[in-house]
Amino acid sequence: MASTSTASFPQQNFDYFLILDFEATCQDGEKIKPCQEIIEFPVILLDGQTFEEVARFHRYVQPTVCPKLTPFCTDLTGISQEMVDNQPEILEVLQEFDDWFNERNLSDKRFIFVTCGDWDLQTQLRHEGKYKKFEVPKYFSEWINIKESFKKHRGYKGYGMMTLLKEMKLQHSGRHHSGIDDTINIAAITKALAKEGFVFEPTGKAPEKKGKKNVR
Ligand code: AMP
Ligand code: MG
Ligand code: MG
């Protein structure tokens, strides 16, 4: 009996899943103006056959529009002022992520980002890009919202990461609203759904850029 296999997963449509969960500047009860900024950028790369972690990208990011974190933000995320001061700004982190992504030749593979909600890739990154005038790389244009996958699999809604963990009978690990801990928990949910036989499909797509429509 030499088998070391502990779980079998259905064949997926992706070679790699990139679990991502941004944290951003915030305050209690109202929106940060003029622009919320990403302060933590964690991505966990999961193998699409074994759902094991194969690599990790993790940076804290210095906000530049509102460089001072609110006490509310620090309480929520566990990210202190010292953790973002002297860190690279978002453009530099995006470049570092691009290098990390390309070193692994991920664009030649079947890959997909996984988030909990659509906020990270549909809202935050795009709003910040518009405000700071940077292009959002094309690989962020499609993703899986794990809440949608859960709903499709179980037939009822899961309202947030903590609910999904409970529904999947998984222990929460680390601190809720720490980006890296949230990615670890979202990775566990992704793996558990696959273990129950779920085959993932993309659920979210960035809107087409204006002015790029085909003219007939
Ligand atoms: P999460 O991934 O759920 O930890 O949240 C991502 C970001 O959404 C946080 O870094 C905050 O900027 C914002 N956020 C989450 N929950 C709250 C909240 N209760 N009040 C204000 N902002 C929040
Ligand atoms: Mg999140
Ligand atoms: Mg989070």
Side-chain angles (χ1 to χ4, degrees):
M1 289 290 185
S3 173
T4 54
S5 172
T6 51
S8 62
F9 299 96
Q11 197 68 42
Q12 297 288 339
N13 299 311
F14 302 100
D15 303 314
Y16 290 102
F17 293 89
L18 293 114
I19 320 293
L20 175 150
D21 186 79
F22 295 141
E23 300 304 326
T25 50
C26 54
Q27 57 197 11
D28 196 4
E30 55 179 311
K31 248 187 130 188
I32 284 261
K33 285 194 181 121
C35 167
Q36 233 182 328
E37 295 172 274
I38 293 168
I39 52 173
E40 188 179 0
F41 194 129
V43 179
I44 290 180
L45 184 65
L46 291 188
D47 181 286
Q49 286 188 339
T50 63
F51 287 85
E52 291 295 318
E53 176 176 339
V54 288
R56 190 181 282 206
F57 178 88
H58 186 210
R59 300 286 187 280
Y60 290 99
V61 190
Q62 186 173 12
T64 54
V65 179
C66 299
K68 211 121 188 70
L69 300 185
T70 62
F72 174 82
C73 184
T74 296
D75 282 350
L76 182 79
T77 62
I79 303 170
S80 64
Q81 192 65 46
E82 300 74 57
M83 287 160 78
V84 294
D85 283 345
N86 304 314
Q87 293 301 313
E89 298 173 11
I90 187 65
L91 255 181
E92 196 180 326
V93 171
L94 279 168
Q95 184 56 58
E96 286 181 27
F97 179 74
D98 196 65
D99 294 342
W100 181 91
F101 187 90
N102 291 324
E103 275 161 25
R104 288 164 179 80
N105 296 316
L106 289 172
S107 53
D108 297 337
K109 311 269 169 53
R110 298 175 308 159
F111 70 88
I112 188 89
F113 285 90
V114 181
T115 53
C116 188
D118 293 315
W119 173 82
D120 303 79
L121 294 180
Q122 183 162 285
T123 307
Q124 180 52 36
L125 186 60
R126 267 152 240 288
H127 280 180
E128 193 167 343
K130 203 166 175 196
Y131 188 81
K132 295 185 177 175
K133 298 187 171 36
F134 62 74
E135 282 282 329
V136 173
K138 214 165 174 302
Y139 44 68
F140 288 122
S141 294
E142 209 171 43
W143 61 89
I144 290 167
N145 172 354
I146 198 75
K147 291 191 275 188
E148 291 295 331
S149 307
F150 175 86
K151 190 170 149 204
K152 191 162 180 215
H153 179 57
R154 288 281 183 94
Y156 57 92
K157 213 166 165 172
Y159 283 92
M161 192 187 80
M162 298 305 269
T163 314
L164 296 189
L165 286 167
K166 218 168 156 196
E167 288 286 346
M168 302 303 294
K169 301 203 169 15
L170 295 167
Q171 200 92 55
H172 176 248
S173 100
R175 178 194 173 112
H176 189 197
H177 300 301
S178 145
I180 189 62
D181 291 351
D182 288 352
T183 49
I184 289 167
N185 286 292
I186 299 166
I189 296 164
T190 307
K191 184 174 184 176
L193 281 170
K195 208 168 165 184
E196 287 191 4
F198 189 70
V199 177
F200 290 93
E201 298 283 352
T203 66
K205 215 177 168 58
E208 291 274 326
K209 274 197 151 188
K210 279 185 194 140
K212 291 228 166 159
K213 282 197 185 120
N214 287 332
V215 180
R216 282 204 283 174

